[in-house]
Amino acid sequence: EHSAPVALLMAQASKQWKKLTAGIAVVVCLALIMAFGTLPKTSHMHDTPIIGINPVTYIGPDSASPNAYLASGLKSALTSNLAEIPNLTVRNLAFLESSDLDPPLNTTNLPLDHMLDSSLTEIDGRLIVDIELTDVATAETLYSDRFESSEGDILGIQDWIVDQVTSSLRIMLDAEQRSSMHDWGTRNALAYDHFIKAEFYKQQWNHNDWEQALELYKQAIAIDPHFVNAYTGLATATNYMMVYSRRNQVDEMTQMLT
């Protein structure tokens, strides 16, 4: 006859206990937030590490230096080749500069484990590259260093950076994978220089720069006929000219006929 009241009391006690444990959990979370400003993060948030590549800062004699294209080419090449590394996800963060999202995106609200910052300084015909690899969760610098080379050795700079990043992240590569990391489409420094300069002009989105890009792609191909990326760039720039520059072409024809 007492079983019903006992069962009721046990059910009520169970509810109270659940409320108590939930309250304790909330208090613990609040205490962590007060102590750390946010919930603690581990240094490796993802099974596959995610690295963000910031735009390369160019420091030259002036902003209109003819070698400013090197920074753009360096960032594009690093993003492309690091993306080939097994078990590593690469994010190009250049879009943050032009993002008009509300609230704006920044590196604090993106899912990243690591950040790669770099600068390219041009002094008296020499190129000086500074890189810094950081752990986003802890803000700890995992690696930082400086590399100096002659002005025409952009391939050597890129080889050095990908080697340092893979070593710092303790990514093991076999011989074939390491060779792939150093595959920039050509090993001819002059052909590659023409190529990245052409890529820079192609991205300016105007008729005159596309014309310069076409000439530079052709020069790169003439130096290295096996440079596949140069053929791809040439085709893309030609397509841009055909689709977006018709008005310019009509104006040029009109001027020739008058």
Side-chain angles (χ1 to χ4, degrees), residues 18-83:
K18 290 180 180 179
K19 290 181 179 179
L20 178 61
T21 54
I24 292 173
V26 170
V27 170
V28 170
C29 288
L30 289 174
L32 289 172
I33 292 173
M34 292 177 66
F36 298 100
T38 183
L39 291 178
K41 296 185 287 186
T42 62
S43 59
H44 299 288
M45 295 184 291
H46 309 94
D47 293 335
T48 299
I50 302 176
I51 183 172
I53 310 294
N54 273 319
V56 178
T57 302
Y58 175 76
I59 306 171
D62 57 73
S63 59
S65 170
N67 290 328
Y69 69 92
L70 291 171
S72 175
L74 180 58
K75 185 267 299 178
S76 297
L78 292 177
T79 301
S80 175
N81 278 37
L82 287 174

Side-chain angles (χ1 to χ4, degrees), residues 46-230:
H46 309 94
D47 293 335
T48 299
I50 302 176
I51 183 172
I53 310 294
N54 273 319
V56 178
T57 302
Y58 175 76
I59 306 171
D62 57 73
S63 59
S65 170
N67 290 328
Y69 69 92
L70 291 171
S72 175
L74 180 58
K75 185 267 299 178
S76 297
L78 292 177
T79 301
S80 175
N81 278 37
L82 287 174
E84 297 296 323
I85 296 177
N87 302 318
L88 181 67
T89 300
V90 177
R91 295 282 184 261
N92 181 357
L93 302 182
F95 73 93
L96 293 178
E97 294 184 331
S98 57
S99 175
D100 56 357
L101 298 176
D102 186 20
L105 286 174
N106 54 61
T107 56
T108 62
N109 54 23
L110 288 175
L112 298 172
D113 297 305
H114 309 288
M115 187 82 67
L116 180 65
D117 291 286
S118 53
S119 64
L120 179 66
T121 304
E122 179 187 356
I123 301 178
D124 298 329
R126 294 180 297 119
L127 296 177
I128 302 173
V129 178
D130 291 284
I131 65 169
E132 183 177 48
L133 183 67
T134 58
D135 185 303
V136 173
T138 64
E140 176 187 359
T141 298
L142 301 177
Y143 180 85
S144 65
D145 204 350
R146 168 172 287 188
F147 181 86
E148 296 189 30
S149 74
S150 60
E151 188 172 306
D153 192 26
I154 191 67
L155 290 171
I157 290 173
Q158 293 176 176
D159 288 343
W160 174 74
I161 293 178
V162 294
D163 284 344
Q164 304 314 310
V165 170
T166 54
S167 175
S168 300
L169 296 180
R170 299 180 182 178
I171 297 175
M172 301 300 295
L173 301 175
D174 58 30
E176 182 178 354
Q177 291 168 335
R178 188 167 295 280
S179 176
S180 178
M181 290 303 94
H182 294 168
D183 182 6
W184 310 106
T186 183
R187 293 307 301 183
N188 186 292
L190 184 57
Y192 189 75
D193 184 76
H194 288 324
F195 169 74
I196 60 175
K197 187 180 293 184
E199 290 283 285
F200 176 80
Y201 282 121
K202 184 183 70 178
Q203 295 166 5
Q204 303 312 304
W205 284 92
N206 69 75
H207 179 77
N208 292 335
D209 284 329
W210 286 333
E211 286 187 329
Q212 292 191 62
L214 291 178
E215 285 304 311
L216 288 163
Y217 285 128
K218 291 175 183 177
Q219 291 175 30
I221 292 169
I223 296 170
D224 183 355
H226 302 289
F227 194 178
V228 176
N229 293 348

